[in-house]
Amino acid sequence: MTFKSVLDIDCGIRFMYEDLELNSSCARKMLLESEMMTSKREIDVYYGKLNELYTKDFKAISLKLMCLKDIHTTIKRLGAGVVLDDIELFEIKYLAMISQDVRKLLLEQRITAVNLPDLKKVVEILDPDSLNIPSFYVYDSYSEQLAYIRKEMRNISGYGKEIGEQEREQLLELQRLNDEQEFQIRENLVGKLLEYAAKLEHVLKSLSLLDIMIAKCVQMKRLGLCFPSVAEGVETFYCKMFNPMVKKALEEAGKEFCPVDIAFQNVPVTIIGANMGGKTVVLKTLAVNQLLAQFGFGVAAECCCVNIVDKIMFCIGDDQNMQKGLSSFAAEMLAIDSVVKSIRKGENILALIDEPARTTNPVEGTALVEGLLEVLPSNAGGLVLTTHYNIKNDKVKRYRVKGLVDGVMDYMLVEAESGDVPHEAVAIAEKLGIDREWIELTRKHLNN
Amino acid sequence: MPFIDEILKYDSLSIVGLEKNVGKTECLNYILSRLPLEKRRVAVTSIGIDGENKDQVTATKKPEIYLREGVYFSTAEAHYRSRRLVSELVEITNERSSLGRIVTGKVIVGGKALISGPSSGPSLKRWVKSARDLGVELTIIDGAISRLSSASPAISKAMVLSTGAAYSSNINTLVQKTRFVVEMINLPEADKGVVEAFDPVESGVWGLDDEGEIVDFGLTSSLSLSAVDKDITAGMRYIFVSGALTDRFLNLVANSGNIKSVVLVVRDFTKIFVNEMLYRNFVSRGGRIVVLQKSRLVAVCVNPTAPNGYVLDSGILCEKLQEAIKLPVYDIVKNRYDF
């Protein structure tokens, strides 16, 4: 799973991506192409680096990274021995200079998160006059002959004065000689730079990685995210978990997000609770946090432990697809079926299913969910589903949204003994201000 | 050397031709060859392709842009590679054109180059800013009448206008058409209070009433007039059109009965898209238009030769035009105005 491929999962991961303040396009590209980390060692090493950066002052580095350009094509061409032109040599010099500056800043702050090789030689090759400014041309000092040709050109053209036919011819000839000389020098420069191609490639990657990590640290501080602890085959738990996207939307509307605590392992978890009680938000938050933890971002909780999985399967149940001729029920059944098949095959997945079988009659719907929980009595990666049905199965872990307390919604999750679902739908519909007569007639039906 | 000293009073200049082949490039070359580069750091760019040997539309011979030692120029990558001069690459900008990224070079040994820089208003603004970061004191944009935004005072404070036989081969028509453009460029600036009131407005049509209160008419632009259900001029001293001022809007004000008491305000002359006849009628009935920002028209240059071979009398043209616009007019090709 690449980061790009998970962006469309409707859980708020795109929000986290768009919120990230990356300086360079090559960092963006690197992040989008990055694979989800699935080994504890890899994730631990990554967070170790992030943790090191987190405590450091990286403003000056960030400023340097703003100038980073994606020149991997140029580096590839250099590696292939192609004679580069002025623009490409400028790019190489520019990258080498940024790298040297960042390297110095990293050394000063003793940051080891990325390792930048010394490119002093590269800068020297492209800066023969030791001017130390980020610009480039085939300098006069590369060849006496070149300097002589240019002096002659200047003598003839002066300050753009009118010149005769003969002088024009002379000038053209000099320009030709100049271009020939420049080519020879560029060829020579490429010969000298060739051995640094691999190092330059490494530098570009390291600087992109540094850009990503700094952006993640900034995001962690801004959104109040935590460093997760990750492990294989353990209980996943979140203390005061929140969904950054929903939290921001609520804050903009002057409201507060109510953080929730949740823990699960291989025993299936059901979440019951009133409508508008935030059950779907819990599932989305579990999805986004799992992704954040395995792509090396800060996680949206006060503290957490995340069990590593190979894949996240998120069935939100609105996959109605008229093009494929599938009703919402059919699409949902097929999606859940692929979860069952994956778990049967022994794949290490986190399965999150929002209100399975909700679009059919409650009798068969309940039976379908009971059946699902029996067919999947255990899943190492975790199985969490929400439902409005009364599920009798006592081998599951149950959470209930606290629900309406004195007419106010409490979104906290509490562990529940029984699967009895709350009956708050009418009260909530009433709060929404729907037609009075409809409510009254509904109540009459309930009383009968 | 006419008008060079005048240009040096400003930090940004645009050169606009009223038509193709009116000698705009000649005019640019004239300015570039005479600016004291040793005293002033100058950067030049052009919207769209310029400096090509032949005109891309009419296939007439065109003078190339000659860049002297020390001048900064921004052009597309492809054109930078084909330059016939020695230059130092100082920046690869984030702007792009169909010919690749826009790069900036500093001339080491003078010569000729094709210049095709950024073309949209916002990208030109960014170009001016990046040139300032390089320590450039005067930016020159070779613009086009079809992209008047380059001449907007928000981008260039001073401008030079090029006109000529290519615009009209009848001296009287040419003078009349040019005079109208000059009149628009020279529209008076609004009072300070009015500028302060309307300057922050980014879109729509707004008013300033007799009490000095600013009123939003709720129109997205002067084009959405059909949404108006009342006389917006009633009780207003000023009406500000933030986008394009059109014939229809001008007529609405002209026929409102308040033409004499209300003043129309536009951001700058590049936003005016009205017919000359309508404008004359509007003014003769007592209407007034003012601008928030005014460009300083430094000079008008003429090219008496049209691409079809028709040649006007340079002396008469200059004289007549000068009389009509009350500004110096120059035929740069005929009078070399030596160094």
Side-chain angles (χ1 to χ4, degrees):
Chain A
M1 282 167 99
T2 61
F3 191 65
K4 195 178 176 184
S5 73
V6 303
L7 280 181
D8 287 329
I9 298 179
D10 179 18
C11 62
I13 189 71
R14 184 174 287 278
F15 169 85
M16 297 302 286
Y17 167 64
E18 282 168 2
D19 176 76
L20 213 55
E21 291 166 358
L22 294 170
N23 284 312
S24 62
S25 65
C26 35
R28 194 167 296 279
K29 196 167 155 232
M30 181 186 228
L31 175 64
L32 288 173
E33 286 170 1
S34 65
E35 284 287 332
M36 187 165 92
M37 296 182 284
T38 52
S39 91
K40 177 174 163 53
R41 203 179 153 269
E42 190 185 6
I43 300 174
D44 280 345
V45 168
Y46 193 93
Y47 279 113
K49 290 177 180 176
L50 206 60
N51 206 350
E52 185 202 9
L53 263 179
Y54 191 82
T55 53
K56 299 285 165 64
D57 176 18
F58 37 70
K59 271 205 195 82
I61 301 175
S62 214
L63 271 177
K64 290 281 167 204
L65 291 175
M66 280 170 94
C67 307
L68 189 64
K69 303 251 158 100
D70 187 2
I71 64 158
H72 78 274
T73 321
T74 304
I75 298 173
K76 277 223 169 73
R77 278 163 59 82
L78 172 68
V82 178
V83 178
L84 303 180
D85 64 20
D86 285 32
I87 298 177
E88 290 166 315
L89 289 170
F90 170 88
E91 289 176 328
I92 302 265
K93 179 174 174 183
Y94 200 59
L95 175 67
M97 287 179 79
I98 292 175
S99 174
Q100 287 301 91
D101 290 348
V102 174
R103 187 169 183 269
K104 196 168 152 236
L105 291 166
L106 291 177
L107 285 173
E108 273 169 20
Q109 298 219 47
R110 297 205 178 88
I111 299 173
T112 55
V114 295
N115 165 34
L116 296 173
D118 191 356
L119 292 181
K120 195 167 147 230
K121 280 303 282 184
V122 174
V123 177
E124 275 173 14
I125 293 169
L126 296 172
D127 187 16
D129 302 333
S130 304
L131 300 171
N132 205 27
I133 44 171
S135 67
F136 180 77
Y137 74 108
V138 180
Y139 296 91
D140 287 6
S141 46
Y142 281 126
S143 131
E144 276 175 26
Q145 207 183 340
L146 185 70
Y148 175 75
I149 293 169
R150 286 176 178 171
K151 201 173 147 207
E152 286 297 295
M153 283 170 82
R154 264 193 207 105
N155 284 341
I156 297 177
S157 71
Y159 263 92
K161 63 181 187 220
E162 289 285 306
I163 52 172
E165 199 53 40
Q166 198 190 343
E167 286 166 309
R168 204 185 304 274
E169 290 286 312
Q170 262 179 308
L171 204 56
L172 269 177
E173 177 59 16
L174 284 167
Q175 180 80 48
R176 194 185 62 75
L177 288 172
N178 175 76
D179 293 353
E180 251 176 43
Q181 274 283 315
E182 282 196 14
F183 182 84
Q184 271 175 26
I185 293 165
R186 284 189 280 112
E187 198 171 25
N188 187 9
L189 289 176
V190 167
K192 286 185 191 163
L193 289 171
L194 199 57
E195 61 174 301
Y196 296 99
K199 274 188 184 168
L200 285 161
E201 177 93 44
H202 173 74
V203 157
L204 185 62
K205 278 193 184 141
S206 301
L207 291 174
S208 304
L209 180 64
L210 193 60
D211 191 4
I212 295 172
M213 286 190 167
I214 288 177
K216 282 175 176 171
C217 287
V218 171
Q219 185 181 56
M220 284 181 81
K221 290 177 184 177
R222 195 178 52 238
L223 299 180
L225 312 177
C226 73
F227 282 99
S229 81
V230 294
E232 282 149 2
V234 293
E235 183 185 56
T236 293
F237 72 83
Y238 294 97
C239 291
K240 299 216 163 122
M241 166 179 96
F242 63 93
N243 189 304
M245 180 176 74
V246 180
K247 188 177 178 196
K248 185 169 180 234
L250 284 173
E251 279 171 357
E252 278 168 4
K255 295 175 189 164
E256 240 179 85
F257 188 96
C258 170
V260 299
D261 297 347
I262 190 169
F264 59 89
Q265 200 169 359
N266 44 6
V267 174
V269 171
T270 62
I271 302 175
I272 53 173
N275 299 83
M276 298 188 68
K279 298 189 298 296
T280 308
V281 173
V282 169
L283 285 194
K284 287 188 176 185
T285 310
L286 288 175
V288 76
N289 274 340
Q290 187 80 32
L291 290 170
L292 292 174
Q294 294 194 237
F295 278 103
F297 285 68
V299 175
E302 201 174 87
C303 66
C304 66
C305 176
V306 180
N307 177 41
I308 301 165
V309 295
D310 292 333
K311 201 164 132 192
I312 294 159
M313 295 185 88
F314 187 33
C315 306
I316 198 156
D318 52 3
D319 304 327
Q320 185 173 201
N321 191 331
M322 285 198 279
Q323 270 175 336
K324 284 187 194 158
L326 292 179
S327 70
S328 47
F329 178 74
E332 187 195 9
M333 285 300 114
L334 291 174
I336 298 174
D337 185 53
S338 67
V339 172
V340 174
K341 287 195 168 109
S342 291
I343 295 175
R344 278 248 183 84
K345 264 193 269 173
E347 286 177 15
N348 182 18
I349 63 162
L350 168 63
L352 303 165
I353 308 172
D354 193 27
E355 294 184 36
R358 71 171 117 175
T359 50
T360 189
N361 65 74
V363 180
E364 285 182 283
T366 308
L368 278 164
V369 179
E370 292 276 17
L372 178 66
L373 289 168
E374 279 164 26
V375 82
L376 298 175
S378 169
N379 177 34
L383 166 65
V384 182
L385 60 83
T386 61
T387 186
H388 281 293
Y389 298 142
N390 254 337
I391 303 300
K392 302 277 180 248
N393 188 328
D394 56 3
K395 294 193 180 70
V396 298
K397 183 173 183 180
R398 297 176 213 277
Y399 278 103
R400 180 172 60 81
V401 176
K402 265 195 180 168
L404 286 177
V405 179
D406 300 330
V408 181
M409 184 62 77
D410 188 335
Y411 299 93
M412 293 274 280
L413 290 180
V414 286
E415 279 196 59
E417 286 299 316
S418 80
D420 290 343
V421 291
H423 294 111
E424 293 170 325
V426 180
I428 290 162
E430 196 176 11
K431 263 178 79 90
L432 286 171
I434 67 161
D435 189 75
R436 271 233 71 77
E437 198 183 345
W438 181 13
I439 295 278
E440 275 162 25
L441 290 171
T442 306
R443 287 234 159 85
K444 224 165 89 189
H445 276 284
L446 282 170
N447 291 337
N448 289 341
Chain B
M1 273 197 296
F3 67 82
I4 296 295
D5 286 342
E6 190 62 27
I7 288 173
L8 289 173
K9 291 180 188 161
Y10 301 91
D11 60 7
S12 46
L13 172 78
S14 67
I15 301 166
V16 175
L18 286 180
E19 182 58 78
K20 293 193 77 66
N21 298 299
V22 289
K24 181 162 58 82
T25 312
E26 280 283 1
C27 183
L28 177 62
N29 270 338
Y30 167 84
I31 294 168
L32 285 176
S33 62
R34 283 154 179 83
L35 281 172
L37 293 178
E38 63 288 351
K39 280 192 240 156
R40 199 65 65 91
R41 204 175 268 201
V42 177
V44 60
T45 194
S46 165
I47 69 173
I49 309 177
D50 228 321
E52 68 268 44
N53 287 315
K54 272 190 175 174
D55 186 295
Q56 304 247 332
V57 179
T58 55
T60 46
K61 188 174 178 287
K62 280 191 72 178
E64 289 170 298
I65 303 270
Y66 184 89
L67 298 166
R68 278 156 61 203
E69 186 178 332
V71 80
Y72 287 75
F73 64 104
S74 295
T75 190
E77 263 177 285
H79 286 155
Y80 189 83
R81 292 197 170 100
S82 64
R83 70 202 185 280
R84 280 182 291 142
L85 45 78
V86 180
S87 65
E88 176 174 11
L89 185 62
V90 292
E91 193 183 22
I92 298 179
T93 72
N94 291 322
E95 311 293 335
R96 283 193 159 272
S97 78
S98 53
L99 294 160
R101 294 169 295 182
I102 309 288
V103 303
T104 302
K106 182 189 177 193
V107 179
I108 302 287
V109 180
K112 289 169 179 175
L114 294 157
I115 302 190
S116 61
S119 52
S120 73
S123 59
L124 282 168
K125 251 188 199 173
R126 288 193 291 271
W127 175 75
V128 171
K129 195 193 163 291
S130 70
R132 294 273 178 272
D133 292 342
L134 290 171
V136 167
E137 294 147 294
L138 171 64
T139 54
I140 301 177
I141 297 170
D142 183 2
I145 197 77
S146 55
R147 297 248 181 83
L148 254 187
S149 60
S150 62
S152 154
I155 294 165
S156 300
K157 291 189 186 126
M159 72 181 285
V160 170
L161 196 64
S162 264
T163 186
Y167 191 36
S168 170
S169 48
N170 175 315
I171 287 197
N172 289 333
T173 316
L174 176 57
V175 168
Q176 183 206 332
K177 282 173 139 185
T178 307
R179 183 178 60 191
F180 180 58
V181 177
V182 171
E183 220 173 304
M184 293 299 105
I185 298 168
N186 284 334
L187 280 173
E189 240 171 321
D191 295 338
K192 209 175 152 220
V194 178
V195 175
E196 278 169 9
F198 291 133
D199 202 35
V201 173
E202 280 176 3
S203 66
V205 180
W206 297 63
L208 201 62
D209 67 15
D210 294 333
E211 270 84 54
E213 289 293 316
I214 183 161
V215 187
D216 181 3
F217 297 120
L219 297 177
T220 46
S221 77
S222 73
L223 299 170
S224 55
L225 274 185
S226 47
V228 186
D229 50 7
K230 57 171 185 200
D231 179 10
I232 59 169
T233 59
M236 293 297 151
R237 280 172 56 204
Y238 293 94
I239 289 183
F240 174 57
V241 180
S242 68
L245 175 66
T246 57
D247 288 348
R248 244 183 104 203
F249 197 85
L250 198 71
N251 272 332
L252 178 102
V253 177
N255 300 328
S256 66
N258 296 317
I259 185 167
K260 284 182 185 149
S261 58
V262 67
V263 179
L264 261 178
V265 187
V266 291
R267 192 161 287 283
D268 58 60
F269 82 96
T270 64
K271 305 284 186 199
I272 303 174
F273 295 87
V274 295
N275 179 309
E276 185 181 355
M277 290 284 283
L278 278 179
Y279 174 73
R280 299 261 173 256
N281 182 275
F282 177 76
V283 173
S284 69
R285 288 169 64 190
R288 283 209 296 144
I289 302 179
V290 297
V291 296
L292 293 186
Q293 253 184 317
K294 188 177 165 178
S295 300
R296 168 79 174 92
L297 183 61
V298 170
V300 175
C301 297
V302 292
N303 173 11
T305 310
N308 57 13
Y310 199 89
V311 184
L312 297 174
D313 184 303
S314 169
I316 298 176
L317 175 60
C318 287
E319 195 184 315
K320 281 207 166 186
L321 198 53
Q322 202 152 316
E323 199 185 300
I325 64 173
K326 311 270 181 285
L327 263 174
V329 175
Y330 306 97
D331 179 347
I332 287 166
V333 181
K334 187 179 157 221
N335 316 304
R336 290 296 321 166
Y337 300 114
D338 280 330
F339 294 91

